[in-house]
Amino acid sequence: MNWPQLSALLNAFAHTEPGRMIATLASISIAAILWRISKKRARLSSSSMLDVEHRRGNLVLAKNLIIGATLLAVGSIWATKIAGAALSLAAVAGAVLIVSKEFLSNVLGSAMLAISRPYRVGDFIEMGEATGRVLDTDLLVTTIAETLEGHQLTGRTAVLPNSLLLTHPVKNLTATGAYVINLLSIAVIPSEDLLALEKTLLKAAREVCFPWLADADHHLKQLESRDLVNLPSAEPRVLMELNHAHEATLVLRYSCRPNDRVKVEQAILRAFLQQRCVVAGRQHRDARALAEAA
């Protein structure tokens, strides 16, 4: 068999259903390989030459180009079939839209969930006015165990239509996985020694969080390298907010496992109060000693 005959045979096979399927699978496989190569190159890029945000921007651009080229290739492969089915699909879509707009919105929301994966089972999320831990997802709804502040379970469940993904922002409160960053706000009187209170709160947080600080910091650094994002350190930090003349706020940033947030928060508060009482008692004794000496 000479080359013209082989070329004609391959061309005829490419226009058959098996030929189109093989060509489609080949296009998707090539796209997946290119995407993995792009991610690997972005991770291995020297941080001294390109910062994290720049590398992430290049990676997003590469992803969009790969997706666009793959869609163009697949569309070209199935062009004749698409043209023939377009009218029928339009009629079916119109009928579905008329019969059940909400059903179609939920299906589109499920498609968005499958593609973008904003959350998974076990994550704590906030969507609309509901906050809770994801228990189940299906074609139409997401079921969550409702929680209050601090991830405290209420014992109730909430069923959220997947159409909310199309109209409401979703906050994944445990997006960093094994260890999460939490904030604890403590209101104090501005006339108090804020620097001393800051040291006391930091000491309490470090004592409570010390057993897992190294693991949490390693985990967050791995996420930075893998996902090309800037994440805070696992080391406890305190920020001061002078809201007005009668109130100040110490905001503690600390790390812990998602399921231990309430326990760790309470442990930090108790350690802070105990150490504050110790300091206050020492100051009171020193003041009394000075008064007696005078």
Side-chain angles (χ1 to χ4, degrees):
M1 181 180 294
N2 54 27
W3 172 249
Q5 291 176 332
L6 180 61
S7 177
L9 183 61
L10 290 175
N11 186 48
F13 177 73
H15 286 81
T16 62
E17 296 296 327
R20 289 191 177 94
M21 294 179 65
I22 292 174
T24 300
L25 291 175
S27 299
I28 295 174
S29 300
I30 292 172
I33 293 171
L34 290 175
W35 172 238
R36 295 192 64 178
I37 293 174
S38 299
K39 290 179 68 176
K40 187 175 181 179
R41 290 189 61 184
R43 291 171 184 168
L44 297 178
S45 297
S46 174
S47 58
S48 60
M49 297 176 60
L50 293 173
D51 58 23
V52 172
E53 296 300 327
H54 192 184
R55 283 188 286 159
R56 184 169 180 80
N58 291 340
L59 186 61
V60 171
L61 176 61
K63 179 190 71 173
N64 292 334
L65 290 175
I66 292 171
I67 292 176
T70 304
L71 291 177
L72 183 62
V74 173
S76 300
I77 293 170
W78 295 92
T80 56
K81 296 293 183 180
I82 293 174
L87 185 60
S88 299
L89 288 175
V92 172
V96 171
L97 184 62
I98 293 173
V99 173
S100 180
K101 179 181 177 181
E102 291 300 324
F103 177 82
L104 182 60
S105 297
N106 287 329
V107 172
L108 291 176
S110 299
M112 180 178 175
L113 176 61
I115 295 171
S116 61
R117 303 301 296 171
Y119 55 81
R120 292 174 171 81
V121 173
D123 288 345
F124 286 90
I125 65 169
E126 181 179 322
M127 184 162 56
E129 298 180 356
T131 303
R133 187 171 191 174
V134 179
L135 299 177
D136 186 26
T137 61
D138 57 34
L139 184 63
L140 300 178
V141 299
T142 294
T143 304
I144 65 172
E146 188 182 51
T147 60
L148 298 175
E149 183 65 27
H151 295 172
Q152 299 181 73
L153 294 171
T154 64
R156 299 188 295 263
T157 60
V159 178
L160 309 177
N162 289 337
S163 59
L164 290 177
L165 288 167
L166 305 176
T167 57
H168 291 76
V170 179
K171 295 181 181 180
N172 190 332
L173 307 180
T174 52
T176 52
Y179 290 94
V180 296
I181 301 297
N182 300 308
L183 298 178
L184 171 61
S185 298
I186 299 177
V188 296
I189 301 173
S191 60
E192 295 189 67
D193 189 346
L194 297 182
L195 295 179
L197 290 176
E198 177 190 17
K199 292 180 181 179
T200 303
L201 183 57
L202 274 176
K203 183 180 178 181
R206 285 170 180 155
E207 288 179 356
V208 173
C209 300
F210 177 77
W212 60 81
L213 271 183
D215 290 340
D217 197 53
H218 178 68
H219 173 73
L220 294 175
K221 287 180 178 178
Q222 281 188 323
L223 287 182
E224 283 187 335
S225 176
R226 188 191 71 186
D227 298 334
L228 300 179
V229 294
N230 291 320
L231 294 173
S233 170
E235 184 72 18
R237 293 286 186 272
V238 173
L239 301 176
M240 294 186 186
E241 296 180 356
L242 300 177
N243 303 317
H244 47 74
H246 303 291
E247 181 181 320
T249 304
L250 298 180
V251 182
L252 172 68
R253 189 192 75 203
Y254 66 96
S255 61
C256 68
R257 293 188 179 276
N259 293 335
D260 295 338
R261 178 179 174 182
V262 177
K263 182 174 66 176
V264 172
E265 180 180 292
Q266 292 300 310
I268 292 174
L269 283 174
R270 284 177 169 79
F272 170 69
L273 293 175
Q274 290 173 357
Q275 294 180 22
R276 188 176 179 184
C277 290
V278 171
V279 172
R282 187 183 302 120
Q283 291 174 346
H284 179 69
R285 288 194 300 270
D286 292 343
R288 188 172 60 182
L290 288 173
E292 291 176 353

